[in-house]
Amino acid sequence: SNSKPPKAVLFMSHLLKESWNLAVNAIFPVFCVGCDMEGELLCALCQTSITFVNSRCPVCRAPSAFGRTCLSHRSMLDGCIAIASYAHPWVRELIHLWKFEYVRSVERVLLDLLMQYTRECAIPRIDWTIVPLPLSPFRFNERGFSQTHEFARLLSELTELPMEDDFLRHRRKMRRRQAEILSDEKRRTQKLYTYFFVNTKIVHVPRHVLLIDDVYTTGATMEGAARVLKEAGVKYVWGFVLARNK
């Protein structure tokens, strides 16, 4: 697991990044995705319109404590914590800029949202190990960074929870025979399950994993990853996402 930098170091690092961003913005100005005001990707006023979503079961969307999965569902994912709604147009736009236009300054907005969320909302008090959902090698080479790794790193620094960024890995491609035997109705979940594998070089298998992704939509990606983690010996797997679709 990664060692945590002291909070003073984290603050200074953030301050230096802010100074650099001010210099860059003077040459290449940015505009708020909400009101088009120059200076920030999301101004302080527009950020107040992004409210935190209520905790719901990730399968049936029924209200539940922290986002725990209802016991009646046969799911590998024990719960999922979501910060915002993907239906919010500015949240959608920020995620699009981050993932597909590689605008790294979105991470400053994300840090602000995370800081606010950890102050105002409770995360179950468990000895979590943060594990980012791995990006495919193709996507990583295309982007030059992993948004789930950056999200996980920020959360780890803010909460001081340990992070294992190499515990769960992504295969380069699914084996041909595996692709042929998948039934249509289970194809997406099973396909994603075969994409993931656990790094066997890591001796200590965490008991409680907080699996990090940017968006929760159908749940197939997290379900596939959670299955792999539990088969490796993890007892509980919860998701933690920036946004969910409902």
Side-chain angles (χ1 to χ4, degrees):
S1 59
N2 296 338
S3 59
K4 313 298 174 308
K7 288 188 175 181
V9 174
L10 180 59
F11 174 77
M12 287 303 300
S13 175
H14 182 60
L15 191 63
L16 288 171
K17 287 179 181 178
E18 286 295 315
S19 300
W20 169 255
N21 287 324
L22 285 172
V24 171
N25 290 342
I27 305 172
F28 306 103
V30 296
F31 299 90
C32 175
V33 297
C35 63
D36 289 331
M37 183 176 72
E38 184 178 340
E40 296 178 282
L41 272 176
L42 187 68
C43 71
L45 182 61
C46 288
Q47 185 172 318
T48 60
S49 78
I50 299 178
T51 55
F52 300 138
V53 294
N54 295 325
S55 299
R56 295 184 180 277
C57 167
V59 179
C60 66
R61 302 298 195 268
S64 67
F66 301 110
R68 185 185 303 276
T69 303
C70 296
L71 295 176
S72 58
H73 302 308
R74 299 178 62 182
S75 174
M76 290 291 178
L77 195 65
D78 298 296
C80 187
I81 300 167
I83 296 178
S85 171
Y86 194 59
H88 196 296
W90 303 342
V91 172
R92 247 191 348 263
E93 176 67 13
L94 287 167
I95 292 174
H96 177 84
L97 289 170
W98 194 26
K99 290 177 65 173
F100 303 112
E101 298 188 29
Y102 321 135
V103 178
R104 298 295 301 272
S105 53
V106 170
E107 291 160 25
R108 283 188 292 145
V109 179
L110 179 56
L111 178 61
D112 289 339
L113 287 173
L114 270 176
M115 290 175 69
Q116 184 183 352
Y117 185 85
T118 53
R119 284 196 306 266
E120 299 178 9
C121 303
I123 297 174
R125 292 182 176 274
I126 302 176
D127 56 336
W128 295 113
T129 296
I130 293 174
V131 174
L133 201 71
L135 203 62
S136 71
F138 172 78
R139 290 295 183 198
F140 183 82
N141 291 334
E142 183 181 52
R143 290 178 189 160
F145 71 100
S146 166
Q147 78 278 1
T148 56
H149 177 275
E150 295 305 316
F151 187 18
R153 179 183 59 79
L154 291 173
L155 182 63
S156 176
E157 290 175 350
L158 283 172
T159 60
E160 299 185 343
L161 290 169
M163 182 174 87
E164 285 285 3
D165 58 356
D166 198 35
F167 182 58
L168 188 63
R169 291 182 172 182
H170 196 295
R171 300 184 193 279
R172 291 190 174 274
K173 60 181 179 179
M174 185 169 56
R175 291 187 282 275
R176 183 184 300 273
R177 177 58 182 160
Q178 289 174 322
E180 290 172 353
I181 64 175
L182 300 181
S183 60
D184 290 340
E185 63 273 14
K186 293 184 178 180
R187 185 173 183 84
R188 176 166 170 78
T189 301
Q190 292 291 333
K191 179 180 178 182
L192 288 164
Y193 161 67
T194 58
Y195 273 159
F196 300 117
F197 69 100
V198 165
N199 180 6
T200 55
K201 292 181 179 179
I202 294 179
V203 178
H204 172 68
V205 175
R207 181 175 172 82
H208 307 104
V209 162
L210 204 55
L211 187 62
I212 309 301
D213 201 2
D214 49 7
V215 180
Y216 185 99
T217 50
T218 65
T221 305
M222 282 215 164
E223 187 74 21
R227 178 177 171 184
V228 171
L229 290 169
K230 288 193 170 181
E231 288 182 353
V234 176
K235 184 67 175 177
Y236 299 105
V237 180
W238 277 58
F240 191 100
V241 298
L242 172 58
R244 69 168 187 237
N245 61 337
K246 292 181 182 178

